[in-house]
Amino acid sequence: MRISAIRTITRREVGDTLTDWRILAPMFILAFILPLLLVSAANFAIRFIADENTVPLLVPFVMLLVGFIPASFSLTTALATFVGERERNTVEALLAMPISDGELYLGKLTSSLLPPLVSAFTAMGVFCGALALGYPQLFARGLTPEYILVIFLLITTKAIVMVASAVIISSHTTSVRAANLLASFVLLPTASVVQLEAILIIGRTARAWSVLWIIVLLLSVIAITLIRTGMGAFNREEILSREHEQLNLRQIGRTFLTFFREYRPAGVPPDQYTQSRFSAARFYRRELPALLRDYRLPIAVALIAALSGLLSGGYIGSTYRVRFLDAYLSNIGTPPAPSLGLGIGIALNNVRVALLSGVFSLFVFGVFAFLVPAVAFAQIGFVASTLAERGGSWFALGHTSPLQFLLAYVVPHGIIELPTAILGSAMGLRVGAALMSPPRGFTVGQNILWALAQLAKVWLYVL
């Protein structure tokens, strides 16, 4: 990876952006005029609300808003990174440059990120400076160094997530109109995150601000995942050859059945399969052991999720008293009457949760599948540690004994349920990872169909 090649692409794109007055004018207004208008409105807010303790609570949120609005305009330039070049008939010259796909992709990503991010930082800097000069007491009460740092990191990570998503969309669409329509899948989740951040910021509690740090960490992970996904799926030959794409359900079905009937490692093209009929005996004897070997990493991640859930649930149960669960905890030791209906209901609920989490993990990079064992084991750790905290003994049986809870409740049905949850989670994690870095020989679509076929096969014949 040559830094000079990335710098060349970045300089070219940023130069084009900064010479277009239609982009510069909104950036100037959002970076300088909007923060000054909001600061000037502070005096009106103080007089109108007539409560000197309320306005400082809004200052961090206003700063978040001042930074987010310019950063959200990153979608405008990022969505046109590749598909815009295609419509301007300049994509052939761009893709003919003697640089690698990774260098081209990172250059486009960096050039799409720098202008909105600099604009957002400038806007937040102007807001802080004007507020400190005009209303120093309000600035001192409303913003602390920690608050400023968290807000800067929130804006940065959200901008990277939006730009990385938009560049992926731009490299896989055939028109700017289609890219703009798909941008709603980026804006809607981002707007939901901003609303959550607003509630936490205005709440102004130590626990709320600690949650904001967790959001920064999660956004960072998502940003890295999206960048990796974009680089793994980017192929300049596909961009040149891509025409108006039609949804061919028959071809999708044939490819899915090919992957379902016979197991081959990911990356083997469908035309290299023997097209033989599905054999249960062959699946159990040869294909299932090979599949489990190939799924070593997802299974390890699912085990990590279970362990982290067990430890976090135990920590919460031994540290905090969750009052609204007192009624549930008081019923431990008095189980419902056993019946066939109860067993079927529990089984159907487990199937529904685990199967849907595996399918929907495709859209959230495996997060739902990761949560299944994490939440299940967190419940076990929470109840056991809560019972111990309330006087239950680990070395004697009894109504409040965590040992009796584990031996009488968890172990009998957990022998079947918990390994099933872990294996089902591993299958869902592989589905969630299908968008990232498809193996050589596979397109992104083939990688998704391969993972879904393995999920369906393992669920039908094992889980």
Side-chain angles (χ1 to χ4, degrees), residues 1-10 82 94-95 97-111 167 171 226-237 239 437 440:
M1 193 74 67
R2 295 171 299 170
I3 302 299
S4 59
I6 299 173
R7 186 169 57 245
T8 300
I9 296 294
T10 303
F82 292 107
L94 175 68
L95 299 182
M97 296 180 66
I99 59 177
S100 66
D101 285 350
E103 292 165 350
L104 176 59
Y105 187 86
L106 285 180
K108 279 287 194 177
L109 179 70
T110 306
S111 62
V167 173
S171 63
L226 288 171
I227 293 173
R228 176 181 170 82
T229 300
M231 292 184 64
F234 180 74
N235 186 293
R236 67 178 77 194
E237 286 79 10
I239 293 178
S437 300
R440 186 176 299 276

Side-chain angles (χ1 to χ4, degrees), residues 242-323:
R242 185 177 291 121
E243 301 295 337
H244 179 69
E245 298 178 351
Q246 286 184 317
L247 185 63
N248 191 337
L249 295 178
R250 183 174 297 177
Q251 178 63 33
I252 292 174
R254 283 200 298 265
T255 304
F256 179 85
L257 288 177
T258 297
F259 293 144
F260 184 89
R261 294 192 189 104
E262 179 184 358
Y263 178 76
R264 295 286 188 91
V268 178
D271 56 8
Q272 295 186 16
Y273 281 64
T274 61
Q275 304 299 327
S276 58
R277 296 173 62 88
F278 175 80
S279 169
R282 185 184 70 238
F283 171 73
Y284 287 118
R285 284 202 309 265
R286 297 199 302 267
E287 295 183 352
L288 181 60
L291 185 149
L292 294 177
R293 284 195 300 270
D294 291 342
Y295 273 65
R296 291 190 301 270
L297 181 58
I299 291 174
V301 174
L303 289 172
I304 292 173
L307 179 61
S308 62
L310 187 66
L311 295 177
S312 61
Y315 173 77
I316 294 172
S318 61
T319 307
Y320 301 101
R321 184 179 181 90
V322 186
R323 294 184 178 86

Side-chain angles (χ1 to χ4, degrees), residues 88-405:
R88 294 193 299 269
N89 295 321
T90 58
V91 68
E92 288 83 1
L94 175 68
L95 299 182
M97 296 180 66
I99 59 177
S100 66
D101 285 350
E103 292 165 350
L104 176 59
Y105 187 86
L106 285 180
K108 279 287 194 177
L109 179 70
T110 306
S111 62
S112 300
L113 181 63
L114 283 178
L117 204 55
V118 171
S119 178
F121 289 162
T122 303
M124 289 189 288
V126 170
F127 175 79
C128 290
L131 188 66
L133 293 175
Y135 306 94
Q137 293 183 348
L138 183 61
F139 175 82
R141 295 186 60 190
L143 293 173
T144 64
E146 180 187 2
Y147 294 171
I148 295 174
L149 177 61
V150 172
I151 294 172
F152 266 85
L153 292 176
L154 287 172
I155 295 299
T156 303
T157 51
K158 277 199 292 290
I160 297 175
V161 167
M162 289 189 292
V163 169
S165 303
V167 173
I168 292 174
I169 292 172
S170 181
S171 63
H172 286 83
T173 49
T174 56
S175 67
V176 174
R177 180 176 62 182
N180 288 330
L181 289 174
L182 290 174
S184 60
F185 291 99
V186 180
L187 280 175
L188 292 177
T190 306
S192 302
V193 173
V194 172
Q195 291 179 352
L196 174 62
E197 292 168 354
I199 295 173
L200 295 172
I201 288 173
I202 295 175
R204 205 67 174 274
T205 62
R207 188 175 299 178
W209 282 94
S210 64
V211 174
L212 288 174
W213 281 107
I214 297 176
I215 294 176
V216 169
L217 178 61
L218 294 177
L219 288 174
S220 301
V221 173
I222 294 173
I224 294 171
T225 303
L226 288 171
I227 293 173
R228 176 181 170 82
T229 300
M231 292 184 64
F234 180 74
N235 186 293
R236 67 178 77 194
E237 286 79 10
E238 289 185 4
I239 293 178
L240 288 172
S241 61
R242 185 177 291 121
E243 301 295 337
H244 179 69
E245 298 178 351
Q246 286 184 317
L247 185 63
N248 191 337
L249 295 178
R250 183 174 297 177
Q251 178 63 33
I252 292 174
R254 283 200 298 265
T255 304
F256 179 85
L257 288 177
T258 297
F259 293 144
F260 184 89
R261 294 192 189 104
E262 179 184 358
Y263 178 76
R264 295 286 188 91
V268 178
D271 56 8
Q272 295 186 16
Y273 281 64
T274 61
Q275 304 299 327
S276 58
R277 296 173 62 88
F278 175 80
S279 169
R282 185 184 70 238
F283 171 73
Y284 287 118
R285 284 202 309 265
R286 297 199 302 267
E287 295 183 352
L288 181 60
L291 185 149
L292 294 177
R293 284 195 300 270
D294 291 342
Y295 273 65
R296 291 190 301 270
L297 181 58
I299 291 174
V301 174
L303 289 172
I304 292 173
L307 179 61
S308 62
L310 187 66
L311 295 177
S312 61
Y315 173 77
I316 294 172
S318 61
T319 307
Y320 301 101
R321 184 179 181 90
V322 186
R323 294 184 178 86
F324 70 90
L325 290 177
D326 284 345
Y328 296 97
L329 293 173
S330 64
N331 290 327
I332 291 179
T334 55
S339 67
L340 180 62
L342 176 64
I344 293 175
I346 293 175
L348 290 178
N349 178 71
N350 289 343
V351 170
R352 175 183 62 85
V353 171
L355 188 58
L356 290 180
S357 67
V359 173
F360 286 111
S361 286
L362 176 64
F363 307 100
V364 289
F365 302 103
V367 172
F368 289 155
F370 185 89
L371 288 175
V372 170
V375 172
F377 280 83
Q379 294 172 1
I380 295 172
F382 172 79
V383 174
S385 62
T386 301
L387 291 174
E389 187 67 20
R390 297 183 179 187
S393 173
W394 282 99
F395 304 102
L397 302 180
H399 177 71
T400 60
S401 168
L403 177 63
Q404 178 167 304
F405 164 72

